[in-house]
Amino acid sequence: MQSRHILHVDMDAFFASIEQRDNPDLRGKPVVVGGLPETRGVVAAASYEARRYGIKSAMPMATAVRLCTGLIIVSSHHGRYRSVSSQLMAIFSDYTPLVEPVSLDEAYLDVTGCTHLFGTLKDIAKKIQNRIAGELQLTASVGVGPNKLVAKLASDYRKPEGLTVISPQEVESFLANMPVEKVWGIGPRTCSELQKIGVTTVGKLQGISLDFLMQRFGKHGKVLYELSRGLDERPVITEQKAKTMGKEITFPKDIRDVPRVKNTLWELAEAVCHRMRKKGLVCASVTLKLKYADLSLITRTVTLPRPTALTVLVREAVLSLLKANWNGYPFVRLVGISCGKLMECGNVSPSLFPDEAMDKEEKITRVTDNLKEKFGEQVVTSAALLKEK
Amino acid sequence: MQISLPAENLLNALLTVYRAVPPRTPLPILTGILFETKENELYITATDLEHSICTYVSATIEEPGAAVLPAREITELARRLHDTSIVKIQTDGQTNTTVINYAQSELTLHGFSPDEYPTMPELPKENLINLPQQQLRKMLKQVLYAVSTEEHRPVFTGVLFEFTNEKLNVVATDTHRLALRSTLLDTQPSKLINVIVPGKTLNELSKLLVKEDSEVSIYVTENQIFFLLNEVQIVTRLLAGNYPNYNLVIPQHTSCDVTLDTKELLEAVDRAFLLSSPGRQTVFFQLQENTLTVFLNAQTGRIREDLQVNITGDQMDIGFNGRYLMDALKTINSEQLHFKFTGPTTPALLKPAGQDEYISVLVPAIPQQ
């Protein structure tokens, strides 16, 4: 394989930085984005000022509040982050068509062969950082390496506003001092297994023979051997098709109120189906996710008689799963729905013997979707889902 | 019960009824096969309560009786025995334990009590009609592909049998396509009725309609239909509900008629369909002058094939689900076919050239708004 040049661009405290950028009062202060502690919110992003107190993303908000008095909690503005993200991706695409977005604020860029156009790898990275600073007033850390594994570790090496370029010759020494848990592909379980044999850094892992690793970890041993030497052949994939689409919600308090759980699932079904319809997709399977008060989790899946994106059909499927798996006991903490086996709805053959109820449902859905498109998601809903104000 | 018979005969009988054993059932006894002796024959039966298959085979009956043996084990054992070896089956009616002897070996199976096995419905006195097996098999083959598998509109999971004084029509549709096959009857049926028979049972029936020059006898009660052929009897529950008036959806006036070679079109569509993906299954036709162009554009590539055909009427562009189109084309049993179009978004009709007893209706695929 020809040697590649991969960039990993990771925005610094993306959500929090956007909030600080748009609201000068928040600048220089510990800010987190996420739900309130009373509603069991979690930290979606923390500003660097907040991180100094040990606050990290995915931490329960209640913990965060305890760590830092005077912490400012901002509720998330997902729409805004999404639009900033598309501006960001547009900047990347000026440098290479091979952009793989990992999340809203993170992407891999394959810039192999772009050095003729834009200068050295360092120049390209610098240009991207400058444009992000100039056009979006945000900062990013960039890592450059011969593959995704190294690029990601490099972007994380110095943060914020870091720029780290690792040449193929430097890879092994760059990795040597990394703690093993930082490496993509080494999860908590492998990590604790490695610790048992005294391996804490990638350097120590490099010192272990392939035979021993294979013997101890099976097939994964070979992967470990390669990872420790910074070998990673994964290509940059520009378009990743969604395989499932889902949504879940944690209740502020554990509940066993059957009608409320049903209505919540209905709302989730509508949200997910609306998203599928917007993308022109249909799903062939529906999964119900239930987390009980004791944190045990079940998922149950059913295959639909035919692929659909109609809320009624998905709702019926998920409610029948609920009925078969939960009768109001025990308390439920989280419910979720996930639509799988997604495919493009493509062309449809009209029915020779129309199912009137279904036709009517399709028409209503089309009308309400148009309304939502024009006036926002909240403008129309089923009467059963109306909440008292 | 104590009987003996050649392994080959036992296996053939078991394989015939095994199709009716439900793969999953809340009633354990239905995972068994019923053995009963009558005079010099062994009758064996399987049922999933929706439909049942029963057959008989001659055997040496040393002691009459009955037994219910686990279907999978007894069938798989018979499959593994040498054809010519004699199997001796001996059941203790008290314990429902059966000892099966073959060569110098024996196998003991724990079965169920035959008294608990569901009783089979009784054959009505008068039959409705007799049909040649081959004729019924051909008719079913031409319509079964169109049966729906979606349970939410049950009548479409069945095939409509419509008996008139001189004709039998069989019709199937999944609402996106429809197949109608008619046949003239040599004898009048004993009553003029319409029934909807589950497609699943008919699929199994058509596999058993193998004998040349032999007939199948059909009996109908209020909610069941019986097919008797050779040594086999199949009973199934009829589907309740009204079959919609299918005549309304068969196009009467067409705006473009094409006559072409059946095999040529099928092969062209088959090749075009190679480029299809789960969400994109539409194969397009462009009808112009004396050319029918089959094409499909996809992410992986594009294909285009020109067929020289005879066209009368309007030019048009039209798309069909490729899978549906091939299913329909495979049932056209003549060299040439008539493909009649009514418009780019309205149903089209396929017909074997020079034959009037078969029609296939196909709804075009139109882009979702």
Side-chain angles (χ1 to χ4, degrees):
Chain A
M1 199 174 184
Q2 179 202 359
S3 77
R4 298 183 297 160
H5 302 305
I6 309 295
L7 256 65
H8 181 252
V9 184
D10 190 8
M11 300 299 288
D12 302 321
F14 188 56
F15 299 169
S17 301
I18 293 175
E19 295 297 340
Q20 287 180 316
R21 178 191 78 176
D22 297 346
N23 182 355
D25 293 346
L26 300 177
R27 289 181 200 160
K29 293 179 184 157
V31 176
V32 290
V33 176
L36 295 173
E38 301 84 71
T39 62
R40 294 180 173 168
V42 291
V43 177
S47 73
Y48 278 86
E49 295 83 359
R51 291 187 194 193
R52 247 172 255 141
Y53 294 90
I55 296 172
K56 286 176 184 157
S57 17
M59 177 183 274
M61 195 59 85
T63 318
V65 173
R66 236 176 288 133
L67 287 170
C68 169
T69 42
L71 182 71
I72 304 169
I73 302 173
V74 186
S75 58
S76 98
H77 299 91
H78 225 74
R80 204 189 302 161
Y81 310 149
R82 202 178 289 274
S83 79
V84 177
S85 174
S86 54
Q87 291 172 297
L88 183 66
M89 298 301 158
I91 294 176
F92 297 156
S93 62
D94 285 348
Y95 295 90
T96 170
L98 296 175
V99 178
E100 176 180 336
V102 180
S103 61
L104 285 181
D105 68 330
E106 197 185 326
Y108 290 105
L109 284 67
D110 187 336
V111 294
T112 311
C114 296
T115 43
H116 304 292
L117 293 168
F118 304 112
T120 64
L121 291 170
K122 197 167 180 178
D123 288 344
I124 297 175
K126 200 80 216 149
K127 277 180 189 163
I128 290 176
Q129 279 183 320
N130 288 342
R131 281 193 59 189
I132 292 170
E135 292 170 31
L136 306 179
Q137 291 90 46
L138 294 169
T139 62
S141 298
V142 183
V144 186
N147 55 44
K148 284 160 93 170
L149 170 75
V150 177
K152 173 139 179 127
L153 289 168
S155 75
D156 196 41
Y157 190 61
R158 270 191 288 268
K159 250 182 165 301
E161 284 185 82
L163 168 52
T164 310
V165 181
I166 306 295
S167 71
Q169 295 77 31
E170 296 166 327
V171 169
E172 283 204 25
S173 59
F174 170 68
L175 290 175
N177 291 323
M178 280 292 162
V180 281
E181 64 264 26
K182 284 236 173 193
V183 178
W184 174 91
I186 302 186
R189 268 188 51 202
T190 311
C191 197
S192 69
E193 282 295 308
L194 284 172
Q195 262 160 12
K196 277 185 204 157
I197 53 172
V199 174
T200 48
T201 64
V202 179
K204 285 189 182 156
L205 185 57
Q206 285 168 358
I208 298 175
S209 74
L210 177 60
D211 284 348
F212 181 81
L213 287 172
M214 297 272 282
Q215 196 191 326
R216 179 117 190 166
F217 295 96
K219 264 188 208 156
H220 195 55
K222 184 154 188 267
V223 179
L224 290 177
Y225 182 84
E226 287 174 353
L227 288 178
S228 72
R229 281 156 184 76
L231 300 173
D232 173 19
E233 302 269 290
R234 287 174 297 150
V236 170
I237 300 161
T238 48
E239 201 188 339
Q240 219 141 29
K241 277 195 188 146
K243 289 198 181 90
T244 64
M245 227 178 236
K247 198 172 178 186
E248 58 188 49
I249 192 162
T250 305
F251 294 110
K253 273 199 184 119
D254 297 340
I255 63 167
R256 42 179 297 191
D257 174 353
V258 179
R260 183 150 167 232
V261 170
K262 281 185 173 171
N263 276 354
T264 307
L265 281 171
W266 186 348
E267 281 171 9
L268 295 175
E270 168 57 17
V272 175
C273 289
H274 186 219
R275 222 157 78 210
M276 287 199 290
R277 293 193 295 264
K278 273 211 284 206
K279 297 236 171 193
L281 296 172
V282 287
C283 67
S285 77
V286 173
T287 302
L288 165 73
K289 187 170 169 185
L290 276 180
K291 195 187 254 178
Y292 299 116
D294 64 358
L295 299 185
S296 62
L297 179 79
I298 64 155
T299 57
R300 296 287 180 270
T301 302
V302 65
T303 300
L304 298 170
R306 61 173 162 177
T308 186
L310 276 182
T311 307
V312 266
L313 297 177
V314 171
R315 187 193 73 204
E316 268 170 34
V318 78
L319 289 185
S320 67
L321 284 174
L322 181 75
K323 200 175 168 198
N325 290 290
W326 186 66
N327 54 6
Y329 183 85
F331 280 93
V332 164
R333 177 187 174 89
L334 168 151
V335 292
I337 175 170
S338 163
C339 293
K341 295 189 192 153
L342 295 180
M343 57 180 101
E344 288 171 51
C345 65
N347 298 324
V348 288
S349 302
S351 177
L352 286 166
F353 305 98
D355 183 339
E356 276 164 32
M358 238 359 99
D359 270 13
K360 200 169 146 200
E361 202 54 53
E362 260 166 42
K363 275 184 198 150
I364 294 172
T365 305
R366 215 169 297 147
V367 170
T368 53
D369 278 358
N370 284 339
L371 283 171
K372 286 181 182 174
E373 209 58 51
K374 269 190 194 150
F375 304 108
E377 301 273 335
Q378 307 302 329
V379 71
V380 58
T381 185
S382 299
L385 298 180
L386 280 175
K387 290 183 184 114
E388 285 178 43
K389 294 227 164 143
Chain B
M1 183 182 81
Q2 191 177 331
I3 55 169
S4 53
L5 74 167
E8 190 186 6
N9 300 358
L10 176 66
L11 177 63
N12 286 339
L14 285 169
L15 290 177
T16 301
V17 303
Y18 195 76
R19 307 163 200 272
V21 176
R24 277 177 302 275
T25 172
L27 294 175
I29 195 163
L30 297 186
T31 63
I33 289 178
L34 175 69
F35 284 59
E36 286 170 299
T37 59
K38 274 179 206 161
E39 284 155 26
N40 282 323
E41 259 118 23
L42 167 68
Y43 279 75
I44 64 177
T45 306
T47 181
D48 62 3
L49 297 182
E50 290 291 316
H51 77 296
S52 323
I53 304 180
C54 176
T55 189
Y56 61 86
V57 56
S58 63
T60 314
I61 314 285
E62 277 142 39
E63 191 193 316
V68 178
L69 301 182
R72 195 179 64 84
E73 286 77 2
I74 182 69
T75 310
E76 292 305 316
L77 172 71
R79 206 194 283 278
R80 284 165 176 74
L81 295 178
H82 295 289
D83 289 350
T84 47
S85 61
I86 297 290
V87 184
K88 198 169 128 197
I89 302 175
Q90 206 172 343
T91 302
D92 177 348
Q94 299 288 302
T95 60
N96 297 317
T97 303
T98 299
V99 178
I100 298 159
N101 292 98
Y102 49 96
Q104 279 81 46
S105 315
E106 73 167 42
L107 170 84
T108 307
L109 281 176
H110 304 294
F112 304 89
S113 160
D115 300 336
E116 285 161 29
Y117 200 81
T119 43
M120 291 301 113
E122 210 167 304
L123 194 69
K125 287 204 176 66
E126 192 190 16
N127 80 331
L128 181 71
I129 198 160
N130 283 1
L131 292 172
Q133 286 193 21
Q134 287 309 306
Q135 187 181 7
L136 183 61
R137 196 178 66 88
K138 282 181 193 152
M139 291 180 81
L140 290 178
K141 191 180 165 235
Q142 284 185 307
V143 300
L144 277 174
Y145 72 91
V147 169
S148 170
T149 49
E150 291 176 15
E151 296 292 336
H152 74 286
R153 294 175 83 185
V155 291
F156 294 126
T157 63
V159 173
L160 174 70
F161 280 65
E162 200 177 44
F163 289 95
T164 68
N165 261 329
E166 64 276 6
K167 266 202 325 191
L168 163 64
N169 299 324
V170 289
V171 186
T173 179
D174 65 1
T175 79
H176 303 296
R177 48 195 170 157
L178 179 143
L180 160 64
R181 171 68 202 260
S182 308
T183 191
L184 289 172
L185 297 175
D186 297 336
T187 51
Q188 275 196 17
S190 60
K191 42 185 173 177
L192 303 182
I193 51 163
N194 298 340
V195 291
I196 310 170
V197 187
K200 225 173 68 186
T201 311
L202 293 174
N203 258 318
E204 277 151 24
L205 170 69
S206 68
K207 284 175 205 148
L208 296 170
L209 292 168
V210 285
K211 278 228 176 123
E212 302 280 344
D213 316 320
S214 187
E215 288 197 325
V216 49
S217 188
I218 302 174
Y219 295 71
V220 175
T221 67
E222 205 171 306
N223 49 17
Q224 273 153 342
I225 187 164
F226 296 70
F227 297 92
L228 261 65
L229 52 147
N230 319 328
E231 300 80 34
V232 184
Q233 174 183 318
I234 300 181
V235 195
T236 185
R237 208 182 273 180
L238 293 170
L239 289 172
N242 289 324
Y243 210 82
N245 183 353
Y246 62 87
N247 283 309
L248 294 177
V249 302
I250 297 174
Q252 300 301 324
H253 307 285
T254 54
S255 58
C256 175
D257 290 10
V258 181
T259 304
L260 73 169
D261 189 282
T262 311
K263 201 170 151 221
E264 241 176 60
L265 180 61
L266 177 58
E267 287 175 354
V269 173
D270 190 22
R271 282 189 290 261
F273 199 65
L274 287 175
L275 297 184
S276 69
S277 56
R280 290 163 182 254
Q281 307 217 314
T282 311
V283 174
F284 291 93
F285 287 174
Q286 199 168 46
L287 302 164
Q288 260 173 345
E289 309 270 315
N290 280 322
T291 312
L292 185 156
T293 307
V294 178
F295 68 97
L296 195 155
N297 296 339
Q299 267 181 341
T300 38
R302 56 178 184 272
I303 186 165
R304 186 190 159 91
E305 298 203 9
D306 286 341
L307 306 181
Q308 294 311 308
V309 297
N310 191 353
I311 297 182
T312 50
D314 303 345
Q315 306 191 342
M316 72 173 78
D317 290 356
I318 189 166
F320 294 100
N321 177 307
R323 173 73 52 212
Y324 290 0
L325 190 55
M326 283 191 283
D327 284 346
L329 289 171
K330 281 178 193 160
T331 62
I332 304 283
N333 51 9
S334 66
E335 244 171 67
Q336 298 272 307
L337 88 130
H338 299 307
F339 209 144
K340 295 164 179 279
F341 302 89
T342 60
T345 60
T346 45
L349 195 148
L350 289 92
K351 231 171 142 172
Q355 293 176 29
D356 276 329
E357 68 241 349
Y358 181 58
I359 293 173
S360 170
V361 178
L362 205 52
V363 182
I366 51 179
Q368 183 92 288
Q369 299 89 335

